[in-house]
DNA sequence: CTTGTAAATGCAAATCACTCGCATTTGTCA
DNA sequence: TGACAAATGCGAGTGATTTGCATTTACAAG
């Protein structure tokens, strides 16, 4: 059994979740994905790989994995949500409005400023999402 | 006829749009609103004020006003979109996860850093939305 | 001030992205 | 190895938003 599989199964157990084909499949798909797939795309990939998975389970599993802090949901405008495995470093997302491609943007300085700003207002950040719609310069 | 009404009508005409009760009503509601209402709330307010407006028209009008750059749509997670009149100064939004309240956060420094960062990647920002989910500190 | 006409609206039905109910299957743990 | 709650598949259900179509309306032309 490959180490990675074991790790993912352990990650699920650590989160107090049962280890099922479907969960391992979706989690590993997201760990390996270099793009940001939506639920339909994940369903297609999961089915291509091996198992029978239903769309309902994809949604249920994604919600559970997000709850467990293993993945992250990106709520976009006018299109279904996309998902990514939980990033080690916080980053924002840039959507190329012509190609639809999503680019990740690191922003340690912004994160710090934002945190100070929010705390100055008497809040603590639970999570944040920045979505930048941009066009490639030529 | 009050000056404000004239201005709004002119803003519509400038955008190449016909001036209708419904559009004026929704636009002025958003200009005056201190909160960030969603489509249902706007429908209720528009109907309370005077006219008969349908939900379909509220959605159609909001889309058109957004297209014209007169208002802005906030796409939230797990709840219907909210709207605000186009802000003079860019700002981000903080959602109080306990009360649901939306607070606006000005951040000129962040805007500058973000702009530089994105341009460094060869993009120009078309628009951006930052949504911070936060909890009030006690 | 009427009128012609395309654009805007209201209504109800449709769509889209999810979510849920329930019968069946499957991890887990004793 | 069994017992049982948790997870899944399927299909029906929801909530937010959109669309088709008949009717009304803004507004340019006369």
């Amino acid at each position: 059994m490959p180490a990675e599989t074991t790790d993912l199964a352990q990650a699920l157990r650590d989160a107090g979740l049962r280890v099922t084909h479907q969960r391992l499949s979706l989690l590993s798909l997201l760990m390996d994905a270099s793009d940001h797939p939506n639920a339909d795309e994940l369903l297609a990939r999961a089915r291509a790989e091996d198992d029978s998975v239903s769309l309902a389970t994809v949604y249920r599993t994604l919600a559970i994995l997000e709850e467990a802090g293993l993945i992250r949901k990106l709520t976009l405008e006018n299109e279904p949500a996309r998902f990514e495995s939980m990033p080690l470093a916080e980053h924002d997302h840039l959507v190329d409005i012509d190609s639809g491609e999503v680019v990740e943007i690191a922003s340690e300085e912004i994160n710090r400023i934002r945190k100070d700003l929010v705390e100055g207002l008497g809040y603590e950040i639970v999570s944040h999402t920045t979505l930048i719609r941009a066009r490639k310069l030529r």
Side-chain angles (χ1 to χ4, degrees), chain A:
Chain A
M1 185 185 293
E4 189 201 328
T5 303
T6 307
D7 291 344
L8 295 185
Q10 194 53 50
L12 289 173
R13 268 188 279 270
D14 290 349
L17 302 172
R18 285 193 181 177
V19 180
T20 66
H21 293 181
Q22 295 88 338
R23 286 173 183 177
L24 283 176
S25 175
L26 289 170
L27 190 49
S28 82
L29 276 170
L30 277 176
M31 299 296 272
D32 293 350
S34 58
D35 56 350
H36 296 77
N38 62 31
D40 276 341
E41 290 162 349
L42 283 169
L43 176 65
R45 294 181 197 181
R47 285 190 162 159
E49 215 163 63
D50 58 331
D51 280 309
S52 83
V53 189
S54 74
L55 185 57
T57 292
V58 169
Y59 277 110
R60 275 189 289 234
T61 301
L62 289 172
I64 282 169
L65 294 179
E66 189 195 12
E67 180 77 19
L70 294 171
I71 67 170
R72 191 183 195 200
K73 175 178 169 182
L74 305 180
T75 300
L76 308 188
E77 305 203 345
N78 311 318
E79 65 171 301
R82 301 188 186 202
F83 300 84
E84 67 183 358
S85 60
M86 186 52 77
L88 296 178
E90 268 309 329
H91 59 251
D92 295 337
H93 295 93
L94 180 157
V95 181
D96 184 318
I97 60 173
D98 296 319
S99 73
E101 185 194 3
V102 175
V103 179
E104 299 184 352
I105 296 192
S107 53
E108 202 37 64
E109 194 181 358
I110 289 182
N111 289 339
R112 211 203 63 249
I113 298 173
R114 179 157 41 217
K115 181 162 176 288
D116 292 347
L117 211 59
V118 169
E119 288 178 358
L121 290 171
Y123 286 93
E124 62 169 341
I125 295 182
V126 173
S127 69
H128 74 89
T129 331
T130 293
L131 235 79
I132 301 171
R133 303 201 319 128
R135 174 180 297 120
K136 204 162 241 157
L137 292 168
R138 270 170 310 99

